[in-house]
């Protein structure tokens, strides 16, 4: 009886162990330190974007990651109180992010008007990118 329970336990746990090993990018954890110049996603998501005229033109809603690297920002444009807004995907180099130590706040700047952003191709949260 013990042998059959042990066999059953092994049968159910081996696939889980094999799956964990197959999906782990590196079996050994490699601690690191956060550089002083780094920006955390916590500070970026929800960041209001202004343009050169200091007009509020959008907000960073999400980050696009590919192969462990930042590939873009999902920006919401238009709308009022969450109604009628649309999303666009812009490259990381399209947005300047800086920290104002005097005001103790993050600032996001994009070189575009609201109308330019509204006319950009729309990104939709659907399929595997559900919101």
């Amino acid at each position: 009886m013990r042998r059959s329970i042990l066999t059953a336990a092994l049968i159910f746990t081996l696939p889980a162990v094999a799956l964990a090993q197959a999906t782990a990018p590196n079996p050994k954890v490699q601690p690191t330190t956060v550089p002083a110049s780094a920006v955390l996603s916590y500070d970026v998501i929800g960041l209001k974007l202004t343009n050169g005229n200091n007009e509020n033109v959008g907000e960073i809603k999400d980050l696009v990651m590919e192969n462990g690297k930042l590939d873009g920002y999902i920006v919401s444009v238009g709308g009022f109180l969450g109604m009628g807004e649309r999303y666009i995907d812009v490259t990381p180099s399209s947005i300047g992010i800086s920290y104002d130590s005097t005001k103790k706040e993050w600032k996001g700047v994009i070189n575009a008007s609201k109308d330019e952003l509204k006319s950009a191709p729309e990104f939709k949260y659907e399929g595997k990118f559900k919101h």
Side-chain angles (χ1 to χ4, degrees):
M1 173 100 172
R2 279 188 199 194
R3 188 175 286 175
S4 59
I5 292 173
L6 181 59
T7 303
L10 284 173
I11 289 171
F12 288 112
T13 57
L14 284 177
V17 171
L19 180 61
Q21 290 175 349
T23 59
N26 189 340
K28 184 176 179 178
V29 174
Q30 298 176 340
T32 185
T33 50
V34 177
S37 60
V39 180
L40 301 178
S41 63
Y42 176 85
D43 299 312
V44 173
I45 296 174
L47 186 64
K48 304 276 189 245
L49 298 174
T50 58
N51 61 15
N53 296 330
N54 208 28
E55 299 168 322
N56 185 4
V57 295
E59 180 180 327
I60 297 176
K61 289 292 192 175
D62 218 335
L63 306 178
V64 179
M65 304 290 294
E66 184 176 24
N67 297 322
K69 303 284 183 202
L70 180 65
D71 190 58
Y73 295 107
I74 302 297
V75 175
S76 69
V77 295
F80 181 71
L81 297 175
M83 304 214 19
E85 73 182 346
R86 59 191 302 273
Y87 302 102
I88 63 169
D89 178 21
V90 299
T91 63
S93 62
S94 299
I95 296 177
I97 298 175
S98 61
Y99 183 72
D100 184 337
S101 58
T102 306
K103 294 181 179 179
K104 296 188 183 325
E105 66 183 16
W106 289 94
K107 182 176 182 173
V109 179
I110 190 166
N111 188 18
S113 68
K114 272 189 181 184
D115 290 334
E116 289 172 317
L117 294 175
K118 286 180 185 177
S119 67
E122 185 173 12
F123 169 80
K124 294 188 181 225
Y125 282 99
E126 57 191 13
K128 79 174 194 176
F129 302 118
K130 287 186 180 177
H131 202 317

